[in-house]
Amino acid sequence: MSSQPHSRRRADNTTAAQPTRDLRPVPDPDPVEQVYAAIHEHQAAQMLAEVDPENTFIEALLNTSTAEAADVLQIVTVDDLAAHMPRVILTAITELVHRGRQPTPAEVAGHARGPLNIAPQPSHRSIVLYLAKVYTSRVKSDPWAAAARVIEDSYRRSFAEFGARIEQMADHFAPIEDLEQLTGTAVRQWRNMRERVRQANARSGARTA
């Protein structure tokens, strides 16, 4: 009798065999490594927040005098900021300075207990936490240099915003007169922003000369 069927059965049995599962418990992550990873992640996020131009600008205003803050606010407006929390804090600072009060973190936090001229207004806790994070930043900036960076960022965003609007109008066959009018508005705004950047850089340069 041939042994081939037995050989086939042995081959089939070998093929069907499953690897033995490892039932040993998976060890817990090393808590020390987790702590170091969390610290590293926090430091990286903190550094990104500290070098953000808008956070840097707010930090500079919180450390300046009432008179200098008033001068800076002559060339920087809330519309120059993109992120909402810096816009909220700048609104509070502007209101304080217009009342002749120094925009210290305590003054800003106290003023923000009431309604601000911006919506939506974050919770008071969120405002206080943001002030603490920005004020304790290791990056200390000259208010005029920080103002120049903020305006320049706004200047760049304006190119993209006007460009998108002009492109959209052109794609929808808007009247040429409307396109020319919007382009003229954009050019006037860009000239204003360019001049404000120049003024801020000049004041910053004068402080360091």
Side-chain angles (χ1 to χ4, degrees), residues 11-202:
D12 292 343
N13 291 339
T14 303
T15 304
Q18 297 295 324
T20 305
R21 295 177 60 188
D22 187 353
L23 300 179
R24 291 175 297 177
V26 177
D28 292 333
D30 185 348
V32 175
E33 290 185 2
Q34 287 185 314
V35 169
Y36 279 119
I39 291 173
H40 178 73
E41 182 178 348
H42 172 74
Q43 288 176 334
Q46 184 181 29
M47 181 56 67
L48 288 175
E50 288 176 350
V51 299
D52 178 84
E54 296 184 4
N55 291 342
T56 301
F57 177 62
I58 296 299
E59 178 275 323
L61 288 179
L62 294 174
N63 284 285
T64 194
S65 66
T66 307
E68 186 163 47
D71 287 345
V72 172
L73 293 176
Q74 291 293 318
I75 64 170
V76 181
T77 69
V78 171
D79 290 337
D80 290 318
L81 305 182
H84 187 62
M85 185 60 84
R87 289 169 63 91
V88 170
I89 302 303
L90 185 60
T91 298
I93 289 174
T94 302
E95 293 175 2
L96 283 171
V97 171
H98 285 171
R99 298 179 185 182
R101 293 160 61 185
Q102 186 176 0
T104 64
E107 287 283 354
V108 173
H111 183 66
R113 288 186 180 279
L116 300 173
N117 188 29
I118 190 170
Q121 182 169 334
S123 68
H124 189 258
R125 174 180 170 79
S126 298
I127 290 174
V128 170
L129 289 175
Y130 175 80
L131 288 170
K133 178 182 71 174
V134 172
Y135 188 70
T136 57
S137 167
R138 293 166 293 181
V139 179
K140 302 301 178 183
S141 297
D142 168 68
W144 293 105
R149 289 193 294 271
V150 164
I151 301 170
E152 184 172 327
D153 278 359
S154 179
Y155 190 8
R156 293 179 184 277
R157 289 195 304 273
S158 179
F159 277 102
E161 292 163 2
F162 274 110
R165 289 171 59 188
I166 293 171
E167 180 182 15
Q168 185 179 33
M169 290 174 64
D171 288 345
H172 287 79
F173 299 98
I176 294 297
E177 293 80 5
D178 292 348
L179 287 166
E180 291 177 339
Q181 183 177 7
L182 181 59
T183 302
T185 300
V187 170
R188 286 190 293 273
Q189 179 170 316
W190 293 335
R191 285 174 178 167
N192 172 271
M193 298 177 102
R194 183 175 182 179
E195 173 61 18
R196 290 191 289 132
V197 171
R198 186 198 65 78
Q199 291 178 17
N201 280 327

